[in-house]
Amino acid sequence: MQLSLQGKTYVIMGVANKRSIAWGIARSLHAAGARLIFTYAGERFENEVKKLVATLEDDTALVLPCDVTKDEEISSCFAQIKEQVGVIHGVAHCIAFANKEHLEGEYMNVDREGFLLAHNISAYSLTAVAKAAKELMTEGGSIVTLTYLGGERVVQNYNVMGVAKASLEASVKYLANDLGKYGIRVNAISAGPIRTLSAKGVGDFNSILKEIEERAPLRRTTTQEEVGDTALFLFSDLSRGVTGEIIHVDSGYHILA
Ligand code: NDP
Ligand code: KAL
């Protein structure tokens, strides 16, 4: 059994720039010979994504808009993929959002709107995307999403995003149960903290990284490449017996008390 993804096609959702975890996944899959389709949310990062994709020098790569808060954008995105590519073999869901004011202080200060927004983009979107992608995964497939320890335990400031990640992780298990009979696996990677655009503006991010370097079993922080290579495993047949799983790629930090 090989890690080659030659002849396989994957949809990568959530590249904002070169630091994005989604871009780390794209690089690992590209190196294994996969064909890639990229989706972005708004025009804000369209050019950035197109510029990055051009560096892959793969003229089969597609770049399409897909704001996951819009049902019609999800369906038209997967309809276009079906028309232009036909069958796909997997989706990397690397999408999360919460209002900045709800990512500090006490969790309970979140309001109804902010709670629903975080859950809509960061948790429900996996289910909506899985349903649309299923129709194109006629040869079986693998869906991978990204989560964080703050969905299992209370991590300061993660707040409503932690509650949304708990919902995302439960969704992984229910989706794995629904989709297993079609040969489709669903798993999550729980990544250690990585400096990306989403992490920007977090006051004490440096001290969070320092704590990992000092205490995590591997004594180093997580890289996009490490997450990318675990995603490659989850997209390949080497992981054919794995579904409904949350794999921690965090230098072992999650085992500590
Ligand atoms: P990035 O900021 O690079 O990526 C976040 C992505 O979410 C962006 O590409 C953004 O798209 C996308 N997004 C936001 N709203 C929407 C929407 N409505 N529709 C579609 N896409 C949307 O950060 P990361 O790479 O860090 O984040 C990727 C995933 O990894 C997230 O799920 C995050 O929670 C998770 N994660 C991150 C960790 C870290 O330390 N960085 C640790 C553990 C998990 P656009 O730019 O087009 O708006
Ligand atoms: C405990 C940690 C410290 C940080 C606290 C909360 C982080 C939440 C992640 C969430 C995805 C961040 C946002 O939604 C940021 C958003 O409000 C403003 N940013 C943007 O709009 C940028 C431009 C776009 C590209 O971002 C998005 N998301 O669309 C958690 C740390 C240690 C680990 C992290 C960062 C986890 C994670 O889930 O990302």
Side-chain angles (χ1 to χ4, degrees):
M1 205 59 69
Q2 295 264 320
L3 267 172
S4 166
L5 298 182
Q6 207 84 43
K8 302 267 172 84
T9 302
Y10 298 87
V11 180
I12 314 270
M13 312 183 79
V15 175
N17 62 25
K18 68 171 196 281
R19 286 175 181 251
S20 294
I21 296 176
W23 186 243
I25 294 175
R27 276 180 292 151
S28 290
L29 299 198
H30 176 71
R35 177 177 182 182
L36 302 178
I37 297 162
F38 294 87
T39 73
Y40 59 91
E43 283 163 16
R44 197 165 49 149
F45 294 112
E46 181 181 354
N47 287 338
E48 184 72 24
V49 178
K50 288 190 168 159
K51 216 169 62 193
L52 274 177
V53 172
T55 65
L56 296 177
E57 296 184 355
D58 175 359
D59 53 20
T60 67
L62 280 180
V63 183
L64 299 168
C66 188
D67 178 339
V68 295
T69 60
K70 298 179 179 145
D71 284 337
E72 63 282 5
E73 247 180 69
I74 298 177
S75 44
S76 78
C77 171
F78 282 91
Q80 279 188 70
I81 295 171
K82 187 174 183 177
E83 195 182 295
Q84 300 195 38
V85 181
V87 177
I88 62 167
H89 302 91
V91 179
H93 172 279
C94 316
I95 292 171
F97 186 88
N99 286 332
K100 225 178 157 79
E101 72 254 35
H102 300 139
L103 299 171
E104 58 188 16
E106 290 182 343
Y107 159 69
M108 65 180 180
N109 289 332
V110 69
D111 55 17
R112 190 184 302 272
E113 203 187 329
F115 183 95
L116 292 175
L117 177 73
H119 284 71
N120 188 15
I121 298 181
S122 318
Y124 174 69
S125 64
L126 179 71
T127 299
V129 163
K131 205 170 165 190
K134 169 190 172 278
E135 303 306 318
L136 281 69
M137 292 198 281
T138 51
E139 298 171 1
S142 172
I143 298 173
V144 176
T145 188
L146 285 161
T147 187
Y148 175 63
L149 191 60
E152 300 169 60
R153 303 190 203 157
V154 174
V155 174
Q156 208 182 5
N157 297 329
Y158 203 59
N159 296 359
V160 69
M161 188 53 70
V163 182
K165 290 299 192 191
S167 164
L168 179 76
E169 292 181 20
S171 305
V172 164
K173 296 171 195 174
Y174 279 91
L175 289 169
N177 187 49
D178 286 348
L179 295 172
K181 53 185 168 295
Y182 306 108
I184 299 168
R185 299 183 289 108
V186 187
N187 294 288
I189 296 173
S190 186
I194 298 178
R195 197 183 293 283
T196 63
L197 202 50
S198 280
K200 214 171 165 164
V202 173
D204 54 354
F205 199 70
N206 279 340
S207 57
I208 295 173
L209 293 178
K210 191 160 167 264
E211 152 126 353
I212 307 276
E213 279 169 358
E214 286 171 355
R215 293 188 65 226
L218 295 178
R219 300 287 195 276
R220 55 181 161 78
T221 55
T222 302
T223 65
Q224 282 88 340
E225 288 74 17
E226 288 172 342
V227 177
D229 286 349
T230 299
L232 169 59
F233 161 72
L234 287 173
F235 283 126
S236 82
D237 274 351
L238 288 184
S239 62
R240 63 197 176 281
V242 181
T243 195
E245 187 64 274
I246 317 289
I247 301 185
H248 293 83
V249 179
D250 66 347
S251 300
Y253 186 79
H254 70 283
I255 67 173
L256 299 179

